[in-house]
Amino acid sequence: MSTTPARSSKRAARPKKPNNGWLPFFFLLPAAIGYAVFYLWPLVRGIWLSFTSFNLLTPAKFVGFANYERMFQDPIFWNSMKVTVWYVLLNIGIQTVMALIIALMMHQLTQSTFLRGVVLSPYLVSNVVAALVWLWILDTQLGIANHVLEWMGLDRIGFLTDEAWAIPTIALINVWRHMGYTALLIFAGLQTLPNSVYEAARTDGASETRIFFSITMPLLRPILALVLIMTIIGSFQVFDTVAVTTGGGPANATNVLQMYIYDMAFGRFQFGYASAMSVGLLVILGIITFIQFKLTRAGETDLD
């Protein structure tokens, strides 16, 4: 007996899937509009202004690559770049190591939700508030930190007024604020690693140190690569902590690139030159991100 009619009836009985091909785009539309208005259009506008002389009082005048030529010959720009790189090295180096240690401790010793909240709490404080609090704590005359140093028999330190101390202090302030968030990102990555690999390593007699360097770090590499890319981009854009605590001083010792761009745009109304430096920073971050992505193989995993 033929089964063709039965098969045909089953096919006919299957409900047709609704054609909602437009629905995902409908939900993405608000985000796409926000991206175009607040990111894409300012980017295009900024690139155009970088080729002009514009000060809000007169129409933008096309000047070609004059702003970029000025940028390459500007000693303050290169000093700001050097200060920014020094800040990034301190901030990212200390923050990544501390965040990795905290994440490992949370993963190995406890997974308490309360402790995760405590670790994340500094990140919930705005940059401006955190900077103000540390400004008061580290004040040379009235700050409690210097009173403690004096009580210990040590000399007072101008944490935010001394050229040698200013950038390391600002870097440590931002390490304190962002360290918990970075630790939680790494902690989330640690939770995705399979326990079977660790069990096999311990069965073979591998020590915890050997397991960390031979298993944890290689398997965690894509997460660490992503964290480094995000934190380095954010560190190059440091502004509010510097603006609140030092204002770029003393003697341009903390005049990071974003601070210099802000001063040129809203202090001296040289929007064309400020836009050129912003485009330069964009190109530098793009190159750094590309190199990081390739060197760390962020798109690959060793779990396969």
Side-chain angles (χ1 to χ4, degrees), residues 110-250:
T110 178
Q111 295 189 13
S112 168
T113 305
F114 174 75
L115 287 179
R116 295 182 207 173
V118 172
V119 169
L120 186 62
S121 56
Y123 184 75
L124 302 179
V125 181
S126 72
N127 271 339
V128 173
V129 173
L132 281 173
V133 170
W134 282 104
L135 177 63
W136 297 331
I137 292 173
L138 300 175
D139 184 83
T140 308
Q141 300 299 326
L142 303 176
I144 188 173
N146 273 300
H147 282 291
V148 171
L149 290 177
E150 200 171 48
W151 174 75
M152 295 171 61
L154 302 175
D155 294 333
R156 292 175 178 263
I157 298 176
F159 290 101
L160 295 167
T161 56
D162 187 278
E163 294 182 28
W165 281 93
I167 278 294
T169 300
I170 292 173
L172 289 175
I173 291 173
N174 283 328
V175 165
W176 170 83
R177 184 178 180 272
H178 294 91
M179 181 174 56
Y181 177 72
T182 306
L184 285 182
L185 292 178
I186 299 175
F187 174 73
L190 287 171
Q191 289 188 310
T192 64
L193 304 184
N195 289 326
S196 58
V197 180
Y198 291 95
E199 293 173 359
R202 292 189 179 97
T203 302
D204 292 338
S207 64
E208 291 298 324
T209 304
R210 179 66 182 275
I211 290 174
F212 174 75
F213 286 104
S214 299
I215 297 178
T216 303
M217 290 301 290
L219 295 182
L220 200 60
R221 176 182 45 77
I223 301 297
L224 286 175
L226 175 63
V227 168
L228 282 174
I229 289 172
M230 293 172 56
T231 53
I232 287 177
I233 290 175
S235 294
F236 265 98
Q237 297 175 330
V238 60
F239 169 75
D240 36 16
T241 308
V242 176
V244 171
T245 56
T246 64

